[in-house]
């Protein structure tokens, strides 16, 4: 044994040579003998936004249930040996002391936004207005509805809302409550970048103007950076144990996370750093054309929505990124390319073999993951396939499960694997980051990138995660217009031109972190923001 556990080590910690010092203390909570243990707790601060960055299954929800007073922590002992006074004693002298005293005395109130907004319709019958009016304790609803653009769906049944609408309604419902402590478990799924930035600003305002404590779990690093004042990194072995670090500045926390090494903890969490390039990829490497498509148009119904596509070229062996707001026609364009939809004008008959992963993944047959994937490729199980696909997408552990039993993130990873495993001329991935935690995004990004390079594959990726796009794409296709009314798709252009056009539409500028070159959103109206806007350099500022 390693000296922490009396019995056999449940999580092979013996193999961790660099045993974190946190693991030598008592955990905050252990669910039972040989069950998941949580070490450390985040410390919410009045008037501040505290972020947690880490994979799923690492104990973030457990920590929040403790801070909300819903789960009495047992400090790793038998529950009947521990009460709140012992917990308070264990945290005496730490930042959490006062907070835990309040929890013990039942004085903390919490509003919580759940991670999986898709499940809200199962627990609520009624329309958006009815749901929101029940939560409006701060008399803030009108302003939240306006800023989150919920107006058009106020009378709509909750059952009929899209993922992005549900996410915004859930945010408004949580922020309208009047409590001491707000917990937001992921704010960005299904939202486009403009909506993500708005959500981040609303949360910051509530902390700053009303002196509330906000605790946010978020996997989109650009948004987390904009949103949080301090950051706890969570690491460990998902499902076995998790450690929540002391608070770091948000900049250092993200930098350390990306570098794969936590300085204070003296802990390596990943073998390789994630590196961003300061300058846009070179544009003078002209690959041959894989396909040239003409100008296209497509309308739905009686012209309720119209998409105009400017003709363009997709080059062999490139990763072409696609960005733009929700409801602007990106998926419609994907369907025109795949031939699932016919254009009104222009002929998109591309005569290409396309492997397509749709935005909403619907693989849910009663079939095991291994049987499903081996039906797609005879490479299944080869050492190449294992190293390049199964490992980075963390499929080993779920191979024997049924597709219908998978969680959202697991289903997404299987769908990405299935898309890349098929042999095709063009791989088309619609929102691969959805439902993936931060570490899975990093891994999926490098799997897609490596696959493109090693297989000379051509890949088209639609996504809202700016970091993922920066790491993945060689060129960019930008959509704009008026969501749900008309969309316009520009011809593919260089990353620099594309990012400038896209971010100018949003009026958002980025700077580069000095240490890691990662992109960071500038504060609106800051000197840098104004200068970059006047120079038209929204992203790769010289
Ligand atoms: P996260 O929020 O980071 O995804 P959770 O706190 O939900 O993680 O869960 C961490 C681990 O604790 C998971 O492996 C989960 O299965 C386990 N766990 C959660 N609740 C219980 C419980 N009531 N009993 C036993 N194990 C639990
Ligand atoms: P994006 O992928 O950019 O979010 P979509 O291409 O999915 O956008 O949709 C663009 C617009 O077209 C939306 O307003 C959507 O509601 C509408 N739309 C999509 N599919 C259909 C359809 N089959 N019939 C009618 N309207 C549709």
């Amino acid at each position: 044994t390693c000296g922490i556990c009396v019995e056999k080590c449940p999580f092979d910690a013996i193999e961790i040579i660099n045993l974190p010092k946190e693991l030598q203390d008592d955990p905050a909570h252990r669910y039972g003998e040989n069950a998941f243990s949580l070490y450390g707790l985040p410390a919410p601060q009045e008037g501040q936004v505290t972020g947690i960055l880490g994979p799923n299954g690492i104990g973030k929800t457990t920590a929040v249930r403790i801070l909300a007073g819903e789960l009495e922590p047992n400090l790793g002992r038998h529950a009947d040996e521990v009460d709140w006074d012992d917990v308070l004693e264990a945290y005496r002298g730490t930042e959490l002391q006062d907070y835990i005293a309040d929890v013990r005395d039942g004085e903390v109130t919490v509003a919580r936004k759940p991670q999986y907004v898709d499940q809200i319709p199962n627990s609520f019958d009624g329309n958006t207005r009815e749901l929101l009016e029940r939560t409006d304790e701060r008399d803030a609803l009108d302003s939240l509805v306006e800023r989150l653009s919920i107006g058009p769906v106020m009378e709509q049944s909750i059952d009929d809302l899209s993922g992005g609408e549900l996410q915004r309604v859930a945010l408004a419902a949580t922020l309208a409550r009047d409590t001491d402590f707000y917990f937001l478990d992921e704010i960005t799924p299904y939202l486009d970048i403009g909506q993500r930035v708005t959500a981040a600003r609303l949360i910051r305002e509530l902390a700053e103007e009303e002196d509330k404590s906000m605790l946010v779990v978020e996997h989109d690093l650009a948004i987390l950076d904009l949103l949080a004042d301090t950051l706890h990194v969570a690491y460990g072995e998902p499902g076995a144990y998790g450690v929540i670090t002391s608070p770091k500045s948000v900049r250092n926390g993200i930098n350390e996370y990306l570098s794969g090494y936590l300085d204070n903890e003296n802990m390596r969490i990943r073998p390789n750093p994630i590196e961003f390039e300061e300058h846009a990829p070179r544009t003078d490497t002209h690959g041959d054309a894989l396909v040239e498509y003409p100008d296209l148009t497509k309308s739905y119904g009686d012209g309720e929505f119209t998409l105009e596509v400017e003709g363009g070229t997709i080059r062999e062996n490139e990763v072409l990124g696609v960005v733009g707001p929700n409801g602007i026609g990106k998926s419609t364009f994907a369907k025109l390319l795949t031939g699932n939809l016919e254009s009104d004008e222009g002929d998109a008959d591309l005569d290409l073999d396309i492997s397509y992963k749709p935005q909403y993944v619907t693989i849910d047959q009663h079939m095991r993951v291994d049987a499903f994937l081996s039906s797609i490729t005879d490479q299944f199980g080869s050492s190449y396939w294992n190293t390049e696909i199964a490992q980075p997408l963390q499929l080993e552990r779920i191979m024997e499960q049924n597709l219908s039993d998978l969680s959202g993130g697991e289903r997404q990873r299987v769908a990405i694997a299935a898309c890349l495993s098929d042999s095709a001329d063009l791989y088309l991935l619609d929102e691969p980051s959805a439902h993936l935690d931060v570490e899975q995004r990093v891994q999926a990004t490098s799997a897609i990138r490596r696959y493109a390079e090693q297989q000379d594959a051509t890949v088209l990726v639609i996504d809202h995660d700016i970091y993922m796009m920066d790491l993945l794409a060689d060129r960019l296709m930008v959509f704009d217009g008026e969501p749900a009314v008309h969309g316009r798709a520009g011809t593919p252009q260089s990353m620099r031109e594309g990012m400038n056009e896209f971010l100018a539409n949003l009026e958002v500028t980025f700077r580069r972190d000095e240490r890691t070159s990662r992109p960071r959103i500038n504060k609106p109206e800051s000197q840098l923001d104004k200068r970059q806007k006047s120079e038209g350099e929204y992203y790769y500022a010289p």
Side-chain angles (χ1 to χ4, degrees):
T1 67
C2 62
I4 299 172
C5 317
V6 186
E7 278 158 327
K8 188 183 169 303
C9 181
F11 39 76
D12 292 333
I14 307 164
E15 290 178 14
I16 305 173
I17 297 162
N18 190 358
L19 194 64
K21 68 177 188 317
E22 285 81 355
L23 282 192
Q24 294 157 20
D25 299 333
D26 285 337
H29 188 72
R30 177 175 293 145
Y31 279 113
E33 228 173 288
N34 292 354
F36 180 84
S37 313
L38 174 67
Y39 295 83
L41 285 174
Q45 305 279 340
E46 266 176 36
Q48 296 219 339
V49 181
T50 306
I52 309 184
L53 171 61
N56 286 330
I58 209 78
K60 301 183 298 292
T61 308
T62 303
V64 167
R65 289 182 58 216
I66 293 172
L67 296 178
E70 291 168 12
L71 174 69
E72 194 168 323
N74 59 23
L75 305 174
R77 298 178 225 155
H78 247 284
D80 48 15
E81 294 169 14
V82 185
D83 61 23
W84 277 109
D85 288 330
D86 299 307
V87 178
L88 189 56
E89 197 49 44
Y91 285 88
R92 194 167 292 287
T94 71
E95 288 146 314
L96 271 170
Q97 177 178 334
D98 292 345
Y99 187 92
I100 288 185
D102 287 346
V103 176
R104 178 195 61 182
D105 301 339
E107 283 173 5
V108 175
T109 52
V110 179
R112 193 179 335 181
K113 191 200 78 64
Q115 180 177 19
Y116 296 112
V117 293
D118 326 47
Q119 288 164 12
I120 295 173
N122 301 338
S123 52
F124 186 83
D125 280 326
N127 67 22
T128 306
R129 180 181 299 283
E130 286 158 354
L131 186 149
L132 289 178
E133 276 175 356
R134 300 200 317 186
T135 66
D136 189 18
E137 297 164 356
R138 291 196 309 115
D139 204 14
L141 208 53
D142 290 347
S143 131
L144 287 167
V145 164
E146 194 209 315
R147 291 184 58 190
L148 290 166
S149 313
I150 295 172
V153 297
M154 277 305 264
E155 310 308 326
Q156 210 159 308
S157 159
I158 292 289
D159 284 334
D160 297 336
L161 299 187
S162 71
E165 288 159 352
L166 274 174
Q167 186 70 269
R168 284 175 284 137
V169 169
L171 259 169
T174 311
L175 300 182
R177 302 270 311 280
D178 188 11
T179 61
D180 311 311
F181 170 38
Y182 295 77
F183 173 58
L184 301 140
D185 196 350
E186 283 200 78
I187 58 167
T188 61
Y190 306 119
L191 300 189
D192 63 40
I193 294 181
Q195 295 165 336
R196 289 175 188 203
V197 170
T198 302
R201 289 192 181 139
L202 285 171
I203 291 166
R204 285 221 55 85
E205 283 169 21
L206 194 52
E208 284 167 9
E209 289 164 19
E210 310 276 326
D211 224 16
K212 304 290 193 185
S213 303
M214 319 294 290
L215 186 67
V216 184
V217 172
E218 184 48 59
H219 302 298
D220 180 327
L221 293 176
I223 296 300
L224 184 63
D225 192 23
L226 178 71
L227 182 62
D229 297 296
T230 58
L231 190 62
H232 297 267
V233 178
Y235 67 93
E237 185 67 40
Y241 75 100
V243 182
I244 295 183
T245 68
S246 308
K248 300 168 185 287
S249 75
V250 66
R251 170 172 181 244
N252 285 346
I254 294 179
N255 283 356
E256 289 177 24
Y257 172 78
L258 290 171
S259 76
Y261 181 77
L262 305 180
D263 289 345
N264 280 345
E265 291 70 20
N266 186 23
M267 186 69 206
R268 181 152 292 289
I269 54 169
R270 193 180 327 100
N272 299 311
I274 297 156
E275 284 162 341
F276 292 88
E277 283 179 52
E278 186 124 4
H279 302 289
R282 290 196 352 229
T283 49
D284 51 358
T285 49
H286 291 285
D288 290 339
L290 174 77
V291 65
E292 287 177 35
Y293 55 88
D295 291 356
L296 302 166
T297 61
K298 174 74 198 170
S299 301
Y300 289 119
D302 295 331
E304 285 116 46
F305 176 81
T306 309
L307 173 69
E308 283 173 70
V309 180
E310 185 185 351
T313 304
I314 301 175
R315 296 176 188 161
E316 274 178 5
N317 312 342
E318 76 173 341
V319 178
L320 179 59
V322 176
V323 291
N326 281 332
I328 206 77
K330 300 184 299 300
S331 300
T332 301
F333 173 68
K335 288 177 197 153
L336 291 174
L337 282 186
T338 58
N340 285 346
L341 204 62
E342 251 184 66
S343 51
D344 302 334
E345 289 168 50
D347 190 359
D349 188 4
L350 299 178
D351 197 22
L352 283 180
D353 248 342
I354 296 183
S355 179
Y356 176 45
K357 186 204 79 65
Q359 179 178 24
Y360 296 104
V361 174
T362 52
I363 42 166
D364 48 11
Q365 302 98 301
H366 203 73
M367 185 181 204
R368 271 172 46 161
V369 171
D370 48 6
F372 171 67
L373 290 171
S374 61
S375 73
I376 292 172
T377 173
D378 49 18
Q379 290 286 308
F380 177 84
S382 71
S383 69
Y384 173 81
W385 192 87
N386 285 339
T387 323
E388 299 299 333
I389 306 265
Q391 227 172 314
L393 293 169
Q394 297 171 322
L395 299 181
E396 285 102 334
R397 281 199 194 164
I398 54 170
M399 280 296 183
E400 292 174 9
Q401 290 187 29
N402 265 309
L403 293 173
S404 49
D405 295 336
L406 299 181
S407 72
E410 290 164 346
R411 195 167 298 185
Q412 183 72 269
R413 274 138 54 206
V414 172
I416 296 171
C419 176
L420 295 180
S421 295
D422 218 350
S423 72
D425 304 317
L426 178 66
Y427 297 85
L428 208 162
L429 297 152
D430 196 345
E431 257 193 284
S433 75
H435 300 298
L436 298 189
D437 69 34
V438 62
E439 192 59 25
Q440 291 162 348
R441 283 179 201 202
V442 165
Q443 304 263 9
T445 302
S446 84
I448 297 167
R449 184 76 239 175
R450 281 177 63 125
Y451 186 84
E453 282 165 11
Q454 302 200 348
Q455 298 290 298
D456 290 338
T458 307
V459 185
L460 203 145
V461 181
I462 304 173
D463 212 286
H464 296 298
D465 184 322
I466 282 271
Y467 278 31
M468 193 172 196
M469 216 30 110
D470 186 285
L471 292 166
L472 260 178
D474 299 305
R475 292 196 306 153
L476 212 55
M477 191 174 169
V478 181
F479 281 64
D480 68 8
E482 192 180 339
V485 181
H486 63 90
R488 199 192 136 271
T491 197
Q493 48 192 328
S494 73
M495 283 300 282
R496 179 186 212 122
E497 289 166 342
M499 279 294 198
N500 279 341
E501 181 185 332
F502 173 53
L503 295 174
N505 295 339
L506 287 168
E507 298 182 32
V508 172
T509 61
F510 281 75
R511 68 185 179 286
R512 293 275 155 178
D513 183 74
E514 286 161 24
R515 207 172 101 199
T516 59
S517 294
R518 72 182 163 90
R520 307 187 68 191
I521 298 180
N522 287 324
K523 283 218 159 45
E525 294 300 300
S526 64
Q527 280 202 352
L528 222 60
D529 181 61
K530 287 197 243 175
R531 197 185 80 208
Q532 286 182 226
K533 280 177 180 164
S534 74
E535 290 169 356
E537 289 291 353
Y538 284 75
Y539 196 67
Y540 298 98

